Amino acid sequence: QVQLVESGGGLVKPGGSLRLSCAASGFTFSDYYMSWIRQAPGKGLEWVSHISGSAFHTSYADSMKGRFTISRDNAKNSLYLQMSTLRAEDTAVYYCARLPYCSGGWCPCYFDYWGQGTLVTVSS
Amino acid sequence: DIQMTQSPSTLSASVGDRVTITCRASQSISSWLAWYQQKPGKAPNLLIFDASSLESGVPSRFSGSGSGTDFTLTISSLQPDDFATYYCQQYNSHPYTFGQGTKLEIK
């Protein structure tokens, strides 16, 4: 069965950096777009970034552009989010999620499987 | 950015009730809308995609409808497991935005 397991969250000071990982299993990882979505404590969901199966295409929410970098290692079935210049408002649970399979062209960007999330706290 | 507005923000209902949650987009998104259910401390779970397509494994008491700017999620007969927060999400255009959520509570 599809499993997504995030790791790497923790407490970091404002201005600091953190790298999140997501280990995928149960499907052919390289065939799927993957995404990061976050949820601040007690708040709603916010899409962060996504990456194509080949890693050729990436996209970011404007507030993360230039500070966050999404990447993947298909040989390791792993997704990453490198976060830098972190701010208090980046405090959230970060979820790794899979987009449904698409064979090319326009791919629908909803999320059919989610990990359990990893908490990032930005505080001095 | 496309703004997604859900109503109501909180809904109190009883087991067996039929409930409807509304999601309105700030501009047309065709049928590019998904619905998710989230329980406390858990990840969201996909219920509906393409506005009205039921995700595999989701009970048939859940249904979605709408197109353009106005959408609804209907639960035909509430079960105890359905008390949760529900989110809509548009994927018509980047950035992909979510509604603020509707918390479904036990009356």
Side-chain angles (χ1 to χ4, degrees):
Chain A
Q1 72 282 23
V2 173
Q3 274 202 301
L4 300 169
V5 180
E6 301 93 335
S7 60
L11 176 63
V12 60
K13 290 182 167 52
S17 299
L18 206 59
R19 188 198 199 202
L20 307 182
S21 300
C22 171
S25 60
F27 64 103
T28 304
F29 183 67
S30 58
D31 282 350
Y32 289 82
Y33 272 72
M34 298 293 296
S35 190
W36 289 98
I37 297 142
R38 71 182 185 181
Q39 186 170 35
K43 302 296 185 183
L45 299 161
E46 181 180 26
W47 172 77
V48 172
S49 179
H50 72 226
I51 186 168
S52 63
S54 65
F56 186 78
H57 294 286
T58 61
S59 184
Y60 298 90
D62 284 348
S63 61
M64 292 79 163
K65 206 175 293 185
R67 299 190 302 124
F68 291 9
T69 302
I70 192 170
S71 63
R72 64 192 297 158
D73 184 337
N74 288 342
K76 294 183 177 179
N77 289 345
S78 292
L79 176 72
Y80 306 102
L81 185 68
Q82 178 69 46
M83 304 185 294
S84 61
T85 320
L86 284 162
R87 309 164 180 163
E89 54 266 36
D90 295 317
T91 294
V93 173
Y94 285 73
Y95 294 103
C96 159
R98 192 187 82 168
L99 281 67
Y101 178 76
C102 70
S103 56
W106 183 82
C107 294
C109 289
Y110 62 89
F111 313 103
D112 60 357
Y113 285 93
W114 299 61
Q116 85 290 348
T118 187
L119 176 62
V120 173
T121 303
V122 185
S123 174
S124 54
Chain B
D1 298 3
I2 297 176
Q3 307 303 316
M4 306 300 293
T5 304
Q6 290 181 231
S7 59
S9 295
T10 307
L11 178 57
S12 296
S14 302
V15 172
D17 284 354
R18 178 184 180 91
V19 299
T20 297
I21 298 169
T22 297
C23 178
R24 176 163 288 175
S26 60
Q27 63 189 74
S28 178
I29 58 169
S30 185
S31 295
W32 307 125
L33 184 99
W35 289 96
Y36 303 87
Q37 176 193 68
Q38 186 178 33
K39 296 181 179 178
K42 301 294 186 181
N45 181 49
L46 177 66
L47 300 174
I48 301 283
F49 62 95
D50 294 352
S52 60
S53 296
L54 192 68
E55 173 69 354
S56 176
V58 174
S60 59
R61 63 181 180 274
F62 291 92
S63 64
S65 65
S67 65
T69 61
D70 294 314
F71 302 85
T72 59
L73 173 70
T74 299
I75 309 172
S76 60
S77 179
L78 270 176
Q79 300 301 300
D81 192 49
D82 299 338
F83 292 95
T85 299
Y86 293 84
Y87 293 93
C88 61
Q89 178 233 330
Q90 67 83 17
Y91 48 97
N92 179 77
S93 62
H94 171 288
Y96 314 109
T97 45
F98 292 83
Q100 82 281 11
T102 293
K103 186 175 182 180
L104 181 51
E105 298 181 329
I106 300 173
K107 185 183 284 183

